[in-house]
Amino acid sequence: MQLAAFDARDNQLLAALPQEDGERWNGWLEGVELAAGQVLQEPWQPPRHAYFPLRAVVSLQIQSEDGRCDEVAIVGREGMVGVSTFMGCGAPTRSVVQGAGRALRLSAARIRAEFDASRAVSRLLLQYMMAQEAQVAQGVVCSRHHSIEQRLCLRLLQGMDLQRDSRLKMTHEELSCWLGVRRGSVTSEALKLQKAGLIAYSRGHITILDRGGLEERACECFMVLAAEYQRLRGACEHAAIAPLRAAFRLLRQGEPQRGVLPAAPG
């Protein structure tokens, strides 16, 4: 697909690349249209591409042997799908497109080469990896300590921000999978939100009518995660990046890592 129809600046991670790196990447990025329900990556399979959503939203899920799944992270225009590409290995998550839309993709081989060659690229990718780990960790706390209503409001707000649209295409069945709860529980809480005038639900679509009301009912995780991705734009310590980059390179090669990572401060 013609890249002219896609703007890399619509993805915040690509927009954060230094100009020189961004111009180089523009020659390699491929524009793709992602369909709802499309599987981008299967668990533990080394990905062939990394995806940078522009309008699409992708759900990262862990699936149990009985077919049930839990969403552990969500990716939109703030980041990338396929963090494990620069490590040359697979990840335990299944990546499924939740919201259809455009994305840019880059081959895993190119990502690995750029990670090794560019300090700016490696710093940015490691920062994003840490931000995504924070999202997963915050999700564990959220699922254990916050109510279904709070988590539902959080998920709706995330969907609205990532898709940049107040009308979200999602069913109660999908929400129950993402939240790891019974469908009936989602339906009950959604009806309460609808009666309160916060949302409207019809034929697999949820329209957010009162964002402020959802924010009041959502847990603090919404602001915590927003702050974490905002921090992604800041600089991190350069001294820690070179050893980490070397460690990942050795992990890919199967070599011992002793002496690569910096010693803990005394």
Side-chain angles (χ1 to χ4, degrees):
M1 188 171 292
Q2 291 296 320
L3 189 59
F6 298 75
D7 189 344
R9 292 171 298 180
D10 285 340
N11 178 278
Q12 294 175 4
L13 197 61
L14 293 178
L17 286 169
Q19 183 176 353
E20 181 180 351
D21 294 296
E23 291 175 352
R24 186 171 65 253
W25 279 42
N26 281 337
W28 302 325
L29 289 165
E30 177 188 1
V32 292
E33 289 280 357
L34 302 181
Q38 181 179 347
V39 178
L40 302 183
Q41 294 171 7
E42 292 286 3
W44 300 118
Q45 297 298 314
R48 297 176 58 187
H49 298 90
Y51 291 83
F52 300 85
L54 306 179
R55 299 286 295 187
V57 177
V58 180
S59 174
L60 307 187
Q61 304 171 358
I62 296 288
Q63 194 166 22
S64 61
E65 290 184 358
D66 61 6
R68 292 182 296 179
C69 67
D70 277 359
E71 182 178 77
V72 296
I74 182 172
V75 181
R77 60 192 178 95
E78 87 296 337
M80 65 180 284
V81 179
V83 171
S84 64
T85 50
F86 62 84
M87 294 186 287
C89 63
T93 53
R94 189 171 191 249
S95 303
V96 183
V97 179
Q98 179 258 304
R102 292 178 173 179
L104 291 165
R105 72 180 186 183
L106 191 63
S107 72
R110 184 69 71 181
I111 286 279
R112 290 194 294 271
E114 285 291 290
F115 181 85
D116 290 340
S118 170
R119 178 183 292 269
V121 169
S122 62
R123 181 170 67 249
L124 188 63
L125 292 179
L126 287 170
Q127 282 180 280
Y128 179 71
M129 183 181 72
M130 288 185 278
Q132 193 171 86
E133 285 182 352
Q135 182 182 170
V136 173
Q138 192 70 30
V140 173
V141 174
C142 189
S143 64
R144 287 179 59 86
H145 299 289
H146 298 149
S147 68
I148 296 176
E149 179 192 59
Q150 289 176 310
R151 295 167 58 206
L152 176 58
C153 291
L154 168 66
R155 186 59 176 80
L156 293 176
L157 288 167
Q158 288 177 318
M160 181 180 183
D161 286 348
L162 294 177
Q163 293 185 220
R164 290 178 282 183
D165 195 342
S166 61
R167 192 167 187 261
L168 309 176
K169 187 177 181 180
M170 54 179 62
T171 65
H172 289 187
E173 188 68 36
E174 289 171 330
L175 282 166
S176 68
C177 172
W178 300 333
L179 298 178
V181 299
R182 295 185 303 108
R183 184 185 184 281
S185 299
V186 170
T187 299
S188 176
E189 296 301 330
L191 284 173
K192 293 178 184 177
L193 296 179
Q194 184 163 257
K195 288 179 180 179
L198 304 184
I199 66 171
Y201 178 80
S202 64
R203 297 185 180 181
H205 289 83
I206 296 178
T207 302
I208 297 176
L209 304 176
D210 184 352
R211 179 190 175 96
L214 287 181
E215 289 181 351
E216 289 179 2
R217 298 194 183 205
C219 53
E220 70 270 17
C221 297
F222 179 66
M223 297 307 299
V224 170
L225 293 174
E228 183 61 32
Y229 281 102
Q230 182 66 29
R231 192 173 66 85
L232 175 62
R233 300 181 184 183
C236 66
E237 293 296 327
H238 290 203
I241 295 301
L244 281 171
R245 183 168 55 180
F248 280 121
R249 186 160 54 242
L250 293 180
L251 280 171
R252 291 205 304 265
Q253 299 169 354
E255 298 177 12
Q257 312 161 56
R258 188 178 60 184
V260 174
L261 293 175

